[in-house]
Amino acid sequence: MMKARVGADTCIGCDLCEETCPRALMMVDDKAAVQVEPVPAEAETACQQAENDCPVKALSPE
Ligand code: F3S
């Protein structure tokens, strides 16, 4: 079971993670936010990809 955390102070609102993993991440006030927890099993791979691709590494698993 995977959870995700967004470092709101680090996120620059690039929106890449929402595009990569819309099932678990959404944009709120131009910052990424976790919209469902734990991350659904079918979205874990995409969420992992979003964490890897974030340009400022603002996402982390828990
Ligand atoms: Fe923010 Fe990184 Fe997503 S900058 S919007 S957490 S890809």
Side-chain angles (χ1 to χ4, degrees):
M1 186 182 303
M2 177 183 181
K3 292 186 176 182
R5 284 286 169 267
V6 179
D9 291 340
T10 308
C11 174
I12 56 172
C14 80
D15 197 25
L16 185 63
C17 58
E18 185 189 42
E19 289 178 20
T20 304
C21 189
R23 185 86 171 80
L25 298 162
M26 63 188 296
M27 299 303 291
V28 177
D29 293 336
D30 292 329
K31 301 278 185 179
V34 180
Q35 68 163 331
V36 58
E37 235 178 19
V39 175
E42 70 273 18
E44 284 191 5
T45 300
C47 200
Q48 194 73 56
Q49 188 67 48
E51 289 173 16
N52 292 342
D53 291 349
C54 174
V56 293
K57 302 297 180 208
L59 299 170
S60 59
E62 184 179 89

mmCIF file of all heavy atoms in Angstrom, residues 11-51:
data_model
loop_
_atom_site.group_PDB
_atom_site.id
_atom_site.type_symbol
_atom_site.label_atom_id
_atom_site.label_comp_id
_atom_site.label_asym_id
_atom_site.label_seq_id
_atom_site.Cartn_x
_atom_site.Cartn_y
_atom_site.Cartn_z
ATOM 1 N N CYS A 11 7.028 22.238 -4.294
ATOM 2 C CA CYS A 11 6.278 22.159 -5.552
ATOM 3 C C CYS A 11 6.242 23.521 -6.238
ATOM 4 O O CYS A 11 5.932 24.537 -5.615
ATOM 5 C CB CYS A 11 4.861 21.680 -5.249
ATOM 6 S SG CYS A 11 3.768 21.689 -6.686
ATOM 7 N N ILE A 12 6.556 23.526 -7.528
ATOM 8 C CA ILE A 12 6.516 24.766 -8.309
ATOM 9 C C ILE A 12 5.292 24.781 -9.226
ATOM 10 O O ILE A 12 5.176 25.639 -10.092
ATOM 11 C CB ILE A 12 7.808 24.948 -9.137
ATOM 12 C CG1 ILE A 12 8.050 23.745 -10.054
ATOM 13 C CG2 ILE A 12 8.998 25.182 -8.203
ATOM 14 C CD1 ILE A 12 9.189 23.935 -11.047
ATOM 15 N N GLY A 13 4.413 23.790 -9.048
ATOM 16 C CA GLY A 13 3.153 23.779 -9.788
ATOM 17 C C GLY A 13 3.296 23.476 -11.267
ATOM 18 O O GLY A 13 2.520 23.989 -12.080
ATOM 19 N N CYS A 14 4.249 22.630 -11.606
ATOM 20 C CA CYS A 14 4.486 22.378 -13.036
ATOM 21 C C CYS A 14 3.382 21.517 -13.662
ATOM 22 O O CYS A 14 3.269 21.448 -14.864
ATOM 23 C CB CYS A 14 5.843 21.735 -13.248
ATOM 24 S SG CYS A 14 5.872 19.981 -12.918
ATOM 25 N N ASP A 15 2.594 20.811 -12.833
ATOM 26 C CA ASP A 15 1.419 20.069 -13.292
ATOM 27 C C ASP A 15 1.749 18.723 -13.929
ATOM 28 O O ASP A 15 0.855 17.996 -14.342
ATOM 29 C CB ASP A 15 0.598 20.933 -14.255
ATOM 30 C CG ASP A 15 -0.819 20.401 -14.431
ATOM 31 O OD1 ASP A 15 -1.309 19.711 -13.523
ATOM 32 O OD2 ASP A 15 -1.430 20.664 -15.475
ATOM 33 N N LEU A 16 3.034 18.409 -14.023
ATOM 34 C CA LEU A 16 3.421 17.148 -14.658
ATOM 35 C C LEU A 16 2.871 15.946 -13.903
ATOM 36 O O LEU A 16 2.414 14.974 -14.516
ATOM 37 C CB LEU A 16 4.950 17.068 -14.741
ATOM 38 C CG LEU A 16 5.540 15.872 -15.470
ATOM 39 C CD1 LEU A 16 5.122 15.888 -16.940
ATOM 40 C CD2 LEU A 16 7.060 15.883 -15.361
ATOM 41 N N CYS A 17 2.884 16.014 -12.600
ATOM 42 C CA CYS A 17 2.450 14.846 -11.830
ATOM 43 C C CYS A 17 0.955 14.575 -12.005
ATOM 44 O O CYS A 17 0.545 13.426 -12.052
ATOM 45 C CB CYS A 17 2.801 15.004 -10.355
ATOM 46 S SG CYS A 17 2.098 16.453 -9.584
ATOM 47 N N GLU A 18 0.152 15.619 -12.103
ATOM 48 C CA GLU A 18 -1.277 15.408 -12.316
ATOM 49 C C GLU A 18 -1.516 14.757 -13.682
ATOM 50 O O GLU A 18 -2.377 13.908 -13.834
ATOM 51 C CB GLU A 18 -2.039 16.725 -12.217
ATOM 52 C CG GLU A 18 -3.536 16.519 -12.323
ATOM 53 C CD GLU A 18 -4.295 17.824 -12.456
ATOM 54 O OE1 GLU A 18 -3.838 18.697 -13.197
ATOM 55 O OE2 GLU A 18 -5.350 17.957 -11.825
ATOM 56 N N GLU A 19 -0.747 15.187 -14.669
ATOM 57 C CA GLU A 19 -0.890 14.590 -16.000
ATOM 58 C C GLU A 19 -0.463 13.129 -15.991
ATOM 59 O O GLU A 19 -1.050 12.290 -16.674
ATOM 60 C CB GLU A 19 -0.031 15.361 -17.007
ATOM 61 C CG GLU A 19 -0.565 16.738 -17.321
ATOM 62 C CD GLU A 19 0.337 17.493 -18.283
ATOM 63 O OE1 GLU A 19 1.140 16.850 -18.991
ATOM 64 O OE2 GLU A 19 0.246 18.727 -18.310
ATOM 65 N N THR A 20 0.577 12.820 -15.198
ATOM 66 C CA THR A 20 1.102 11.458 -15.155
ATOM 67 C C THR A 20 0.231 10.544 -14.310
ATOM 68 O O THR A 20 0.019 9.379 -14.660
ATOM 69 C CB THR A 20 2.534 11.470 -14.576
ATOM 70 O OG1 THR A 20 3.332 12.349 -15.359
ATOM 71 C CG2 THR A 20 3.144 10.074 -14.593
ATOM 72 N N CYS A 21 -0.280 11.063 -13.210
ATOM 73 C CA CYS A 21 -1.049 10.220 -12.291
ATOM 74 C C CYS A 21 -2.312 10.943 -11.811
ATOM 75 O O CYS A 21 -2.439 11.280 -10.638
ATOM 76 C CB CYS A 21 -0.180 9.825 -11.097
ATOM 77 S SG CYS A 21 -0.959 8.585 -10.048
ATOM 78 N N PRO A 22 -3.256 11.191 -12.720
ATOM 79 C CA PRO A 22 -4.472 11.930 -12.352
ATOM 80 C C PRO A 22 -5.353 11.182 -11.367
ATOM 81 O O PRO A 22 -6.196 11.781 -10.703
ATOM 82 C CB PRO A 22 -5.175 12.128 -13.702
ATOM 83 C CG PRO A 22 -4.668 11.031 -14.567
ATOM 84 C CD PRO A 22 -3.245 10.799 -14.140
ATOM 85 N N ARG A 23 -5.152 9.895 -11.256
ATOM 86 C CA ARG A 23 -5.966 9.088 -10.338
ATOM 87 C C ARG A 23 -5.667 9.455 -8.881
ATOM 88 O O ARG A 23 -6.538 9.378 -8.031
ATOM 89 C CB ARG A 23 -5.660 7.615 -10.600
ATOM 90 C CG ARG A 23 -6.482 6.632 -9.842
ATOM 91 C CD ARG A 23 -7.776 6.322 -10.566
ATOM 92 N NE ARG A 23 -8.424 5.215 -9.914
ATOM 93 C CZ ARG A 23 -9.141 5.326 -8.795
ATOM 94 N NH1 ARG A 23 -9.290 6.491 -8.223
ATOM 95 N NH2 ARG A 23 -9.711 4.266 -8.256
ATOM 96 N N ALA A 24 -4.431 9.831 -8.596
ATOM 97 C CA ALA A 24 -4.049 10.079 -7.199
ATOM 98 C C ALA A 24 -3.665 11.520 -6.914
ATOM 99 O O ALA A 24 -3.671 11.930 -5.760
ATOM 100 C CB ALA A 24 -2.875 9.165 -6.818
ATOM 101 N N LEU A 25 -3.335 12.276 -7.955
ATOM 102 C CA LEU A 25 -2.837 13.634 -7.723
ATOM 103 C C LEU A 25 -3.679 14.648 -8.471
ATOM 104 O O LEU A 25 -4.146 14.393 -9.585
ATOM 105 C CB LEU A 25 -1.370 13.731 -8.172
ATOM 106 C CG LEU A 25 -0.416 12.820 -7.411
ATOM 107 C CD1 LEU A 25 0.886 12.641 -8.178
ATOM 108 C CD2 LEU A 25 -0.144 13.364 -6.026
ATOM 109 N N MET A 26 -3.865 15.786 -7.870
ATOM 110 C CA MET A 26 -4.613 16.859 -8.517
ATOM 111 C C MET A 26 -3.978 18.195 -8.145
ATOM 112 O O MET A 26 -3.212 18.280 -7.182
ATOM 113 C CB MET A 26 -6.071 16.844 -8.071
ATOM 114 C CG MET A 26 -6.247 17.104 -6.593
ATOM 115 S SD MET A 26 -7.940 16.871 -5.994
ATOM 116 C CE MET A 26 -8.807 18.138 -6.869
ATOM 117 N N MET A 27 -4.308 19.221 -8.893
ATOM 118 C CA MET A 27 -3.773 20.543 -8.595
ATOM 119 C C MET A 27 -4.789 21.316 -7.752
ATOM 120 O O MET A 27 -5.979 21.362 -8.065
ATOM 121 C CB MET A 27 -3.487 21.310 -9.890
ATOM 122 C CG MET A 27 -2.465 20.643 -10.803
ATOM 123 S SD MET A 27 -0.870 20.342 -10.022
ATOM 124 C CE MET A 27 -0.277 22.028 -9.857
ATOM 125 N N VAL A 28 -4.313 21.897 -6.678
ATOM 126 C CA VAL A 28 -5.136 22.748 -5.813
ATOM 127 C C VAL A 28 -4.348 24.029 -5.579
ATOM 128 O O VAL A 28 -3.240 23.991 -5.045
ATOM 129 C CB VAL A 28 -5.446 22.058 -4.469
ATOM 130 C CG1 VAL A 28 -6.235 22.999 -3.568
ATOM 131 C CG2 VAL A 28 -6.207 20.757 -4.687
ATOM 132 N N ASP A 29 -4.914 25.144 -5.989
ATOM 133 C CA ASP A 29 -4.223 26.439 -5.841
ATOM 134 C C ASP A 29 -2.809 26.382 -6.412
ATOM 135 O O ASP A 29 -1.852 26.846 -5.784
ATOM 136 C CB ASP A 29 -4.181 26.858 -4.362
ATOM 137 C CG ASP A 29 -5.570 27.177 -3.827
ATOM 138 O OD1 ASP A 29 -6.456 27.519 -4.642
ATOM 139 O OD2 ASP A 29 -5.768 27.082 -2.608
ATOM 140 N N ASP A 30 -2.686 25.773 -7.590
ATOM 141 C CA ASP A 30 -1.406 25.697 -8.298
ATOM 142 C C ASP A 30 -0.337 24.878 -7.585
ATOM 143 O O ASP A 30 0.860 25.042 -7.855
ATOM 144 C CB ASP A 30 -0.865 27.099 -8.602
ATOM 145 C CG ASP A 30 -1.730 27.819 -9.624
ATOM 146 O OD1 ASP A 30 -2.322 27.138 -10.491
ATOM 147 O OD2 ASP A 30 -1.815 29.057 -9.555
ATOM 148 N N LYS A 31 -0.756 24.025 -6.675
ATOM 149 C CA LYS A 31 0.161 23.085 -6.043
ATOM 150 C C LYS A 31 -0.429 21.692 -6.163
ATOM 151 O O LYS A 31 -1.660 21.519 -6.142
ATOM 152 C CB LYS A 31 0.348 23.401 -4.549
ATOM 153 C CG LYS A 31 0.892 24.781 -4.258
ATOM 154 C CD LYS A 31 2.391 24.827 -4.406
ATOM 155 C CE LYS A 31 2.903 26.208 -3.986
ATOM 156 N NZ LYS A 31 4.356 26.309 -4.085
ATOM 157 N N ALA A 32 0.456 20.697 -6.264
ATOM 158 C CA ALA A 32 -0.033 19.329 -6.318
ATOM 159 C C ALA A 32 -0.606 18.928 -4.967
ATOM 160 O O ALA A 32 -0.123 19.359 -3.925
ATOM 161 C CB ALA A 32 1.111 18.389 -6.696
ATOM 162 N N ALA A 33 -1.645 18.101 -5.003
ATOM 163 C CA ALA A 33 -2.251 17.592 -3.776
ATOM 164 C C ALA A 33 -2.661 16.149 -4.004
ATOM 165 O O ALA A 33 -3.043 15.761 -5.109
ATOM 166 C CB ALA A 33 -3.462 18.436 -3.392
ATOM 167 N N VAL A 34 -2.582 15.372 -2.960
ATOM 168 C CA VAL A 34 -3.020 13.987 -3.036
ATOM 169 C C VAL A 34 -4.535 13.969 -2.932
ATOM 170 O O VAL A 34 -5.104 14.549 -2.015
ATOM 171 C CB VAL A 34 -2.397 13.164 -1.889
ATOM 172 C CG1 VAL A 34 -2.856 11.708 -1.978
ATOM 173 C CG2 VAL A 34 -0.869 13.241 -1.944
ATOM 174 N N GLN A 35 -5.183 13.330 -3.890
ATOM 175 C CA GLN A 35 -6.642 13.351 -3.869
ATOM 176 C C GLN A 35 -7.252 12.053 -3.398
ATOM 177 O O GLN A 35 -8.447 11.997 -3.104
ATOM 178 C CB GLN A 35 -7.195 13.737 -5.247
ATOM 179 C CG GLN A 35 -6.977 12.728 -6.341
ATOM 180 C CD GLN A 35 -7.913 13.021 -7.513
ATOM 181 O OE1 GLN A 35 -8.987 13.555 -7.330
ATOM 182 N NE2 GLN A 35 -7.484 12.681 -8.718
ATOM 183 N N VAL A 36 -6.479 11.017 -3.305
ATOM 184 C CA VAL A 36 -7.001 9.763 -2.775
ATOM 185 C C VAL A 36 -5.862 9.008 -2.092
ATOM 186 O O VAL A 36 -4.752 8.952 -2.602
ATOM 187 C CB VAL A 36 -7.658 8.907 -3.888
ATOM 188 C CG1 VAL A 36 -6.681 8.601 -5.003
ATOM 189 C CG2 VAL A 36 -8.235 7.634 -3.334
ATOM 190 N N GLU A 37 -6.162 8.514 -0.900
ATOM 191 C CA GLU A 37 -5.150 7.812 -0.145
ATOM 192 C C GLU A 37 -5.737 6.596 0.533
ATOM 193 O O GLU A 37 -6.843 6.702 1.071
ATOM 194 C CB GLU A 37 -4.552 8.756 0.916
ATOM 195 C CG GLU A 37 -3.074 8.858 0.826
ATOM 196 C CD GLU A 37 -2.479 9.831 1.841
ATOM 197 O OE1 GLU A 37 -3.129 10.172 2.828
ATOM 198 O OE2 GLU A 37 -1.357 10.223 1.609
ATOM 199 N N PRO A 38 -5.042 5.474 0.526
ATOM 200 C CA PRO A 38 -3.767 5.273 -0.147
ATOM 201 C C PRO A 38 -3.933 5.332 -1.652
ATOM 202 O O PRO A 38 -5.053 5.273 -2.159
ATOM 203 C CB PRO A 38 -3.346 3.873 0.313
ATOM 204 C CG PRO A 38 -4.635 3.189 0.621
ATOM 205 C CD PRO A 38 -5.553 4.258 1.155
ATOM 206 N N VAL A 39 -2.810 5.453 -2.341
ATOM 207 C CA VAL A 39 -2.843 5.459 -3.800
ATOM 208 C C VAL A 39 -3.434 4.133 -4.271
ATOM 209 O O VAL A 39 -2.995 3.063 -3.836
ATOM 210 C CB VAL A 39 -1.414 5.632 -4.359
ATOM 211 C CG1 VAL A 39 -1.411 5.519 -5.872
ATOM 212 C CG2 VAL A 39 -0.836 6.976 -3.912
ATOM 213 N N PRO A 40 -4.451 4.166 -5.127
ATOM 214 C CA PRO A 40 -5.033 2.913 -5.624
ATOM 215 C C PRO A 40 -3.961 2.034 -6.277
ATOM 216 O O PRO A 40 -3.058 2.555 -6.937
ATOM 217 C CB PRO A 40 -6.059 3.393 -6.656
ATOM 218 C CG PRO A 40 -6.367 4.792 -6.276
ATOM 219 C CD PRO A 40 -5.102 5.348 -5.695
ATOM 220 N N ALA A 41 -4.076 0.753 -6.082
ATOM 221 C CA ALA A 41 -3.063 -0.174 -6.576
ATOM 222 C C ALA A 41 -2.802 0.020 -8.066
ATOM 223 O O ALA A 41 -1.648 -0.017 -8.518
ATOM 224 C CB ALA A 41 -3.484 -1.611 -6.285
ATOM 225 N N GLU A 42 -3.854 0.260 -8.834
ATOM 226 C CA GLU A 42 -3.689 0.395 -10.274
ATOM 227 C C GLU A 42 -2.986 1.693 -10.660
ATOM 228 O O GLU A 42 -2.553 1.854 -11.800
ATOM 229 C CB GLU A 42 -5.032 0.281 -11.001
ATOM 230 C CG GLU A 42 -5.975 1.449 -10.786
ATOM 231 C CD GLU A 42 -6.845 1.311 -9.539
ATOM 232 O OE1 GLU A 42 -6.512 0.508 -8.650
ATOM 233 O OE2 GLU A 42 -7.855 2.030 -9.457
ATOM 234 N N ALA A 43 -2.862 2.610 -9.720
ATOM 235 C CA ALA A 43 -2.212 3.894 -10.012
ATOM 236 C C ALA A 43 -0.801 3.985 -9.420
ATOM 237 O O ALA A 43 -0.119 4.988 -9.610
ATOM 238 C CB ALA A 43 -3.058 5.041 -9.477
ATOM 239 N N GLU A 44 -0.356 2.937 -8.724
ATOM 240 C CA GLU A 44 0.940 3.015 -8.049
ATOM 241 C C GLU A 44 2.087 3.237 -9.027
ATOM 242 O O GLU A 44 2.995 4.017 -8.765
ATOM 243 C CB GLU A 44 1.193 1.765 -7.212
ATOM 244 C CG GLU A 44 0.397 1.764 -5.928
ATOM 245 C CD GLU A 44 0.839 0.673 -4.972
ATOM 246 O OE1 GLU A 44 1.838 -0.021 -5.277
ATOM 247 O OE2 GLU A 44 0.192 0.514 -3.933
ATOM 248 N N THR A 45 2.060 2.555 -10.161
ATOM 249 C CA THR A 45 3.147 2.697 -11.132
ATOM 250 C C THR A 45 3.196 4.119 -11.673
ATOM 251 O O THR A 45 4.265 4.726 -11.766
ATOM 252 C CB THR A 45 2.975 1.697 -12.288
ATOM 253 O OG1 THR A 45 2.994 0.373 -11.746
ATOM 254 C CG2 THR A 45 4.112 1.827 -13.303
ATOM 255 N N ALA A 46 2.026 4.664 -12.002
ATOM 256 C CA ALA A 46 1.975 6.030 -12.523
ATOM 257 C C ALA A 46 2.417 7.030 -11.464
ATOM 258 O O ALA A 46 3.109 8.014 -11.753
ATOM 259 C CB ALA A 46 0.566 6.355 -13.004
ATOM 260 N N CYS A 47 2.029 6.789 -10.224
ATOM 261 C CA CYS A 47 2.394 7.700 -9.145
ATOM 262 C C CYS A 47 3.904 7.653 -8.913
ATOM 263 O O CYS A 47 4.546 8.683 -8.680
ATOM 264 C CB CYS A 47 1.634 7.321 -7.879
ATOM 265 S SG CYS A 47 1.550 8.642 -6.672
ATOM 266 N N GLN A 48 4.448 6.458 -8.980
ATOM 267 C CA GLN A 48 5.902 6.313 -8.860
ATOM 268 C C GLN A 48 6.609 7.086 -9.973
ATOM 269 O O GLN A 48 7.619 7.760 -9.748
ATOM 270 C CB GLN A 48 6.270 4.828 -8.936
ATOM 271 C CG GLN A 48 7.686 4.514 -8.504
ATOM 272 C CD GLN A 48 7.857 4.635 -7.004
ATOM 273 O OE1 GLN A 48 7.149 3.993 -6.254
ATOM 274 N NE2 GLN A 48 8.767 5.484 -6.573
ATOM 275 N N GLN A 49 6.056 6.961 -11.166
ATOM 276 C CA GLN A 49 6.626 7.683 -12.316
ATOM 277 C C GLN A 49 6.560 9.190 -12.081
ATOM 278 O O GLN A 49 7.523 9.923 -12.358
ATOM 279 C CB GLN A 49 5.850 7.316 -13.581
ATOM 280 C CG GLN A 49 6.457 7.857 -14.870
ATOM 281 C CD GLN A 49 7.799 7.206 -15.181
ATOM 282 O OE1 GLN A 49 7.920 5.993 -15.133
ATOM 283 N NE2 GLN A 49 8.804 8.016 -15.468
ATOM 284 N N ALA A 50 5.446 9.657 -11.548
ATOM 285 C CA ALA A 50 5.299 11.089 -11.265
ATOM 286 C C ALA A 50 6.338 11.546 -10.259
ATOM 287 O O ALA A 50 6.917 12.626 -10.396
ATOM 288 C CB ALA A 50 3.889 11.368 -10.746
ATOM 289 N N GLU A 51 6.581 10.724 -9.254
ATOM 290 C CA GLU A 51 7.603 11.076 -8.260
ATOM 291 C C GLU A 51 8.970 11.173 -8.910
ATOM 292 O O GLU A 51 9.744 12.093 -8.635
ATOM 293 C CB GLU A 51 7.636 10.026 -7.150
ATOM 294 C CG GLU A 51 6.427 10.074 -6.243
ATOM 295 C CD GLU A 51 6.401 8.925 -5.260
ATOM 296 O OE1 GLU A 51 7.445 8.269 -5.073
ATOM 297 O OE2 GLU A 51 5.336 8.686 -4.685
#
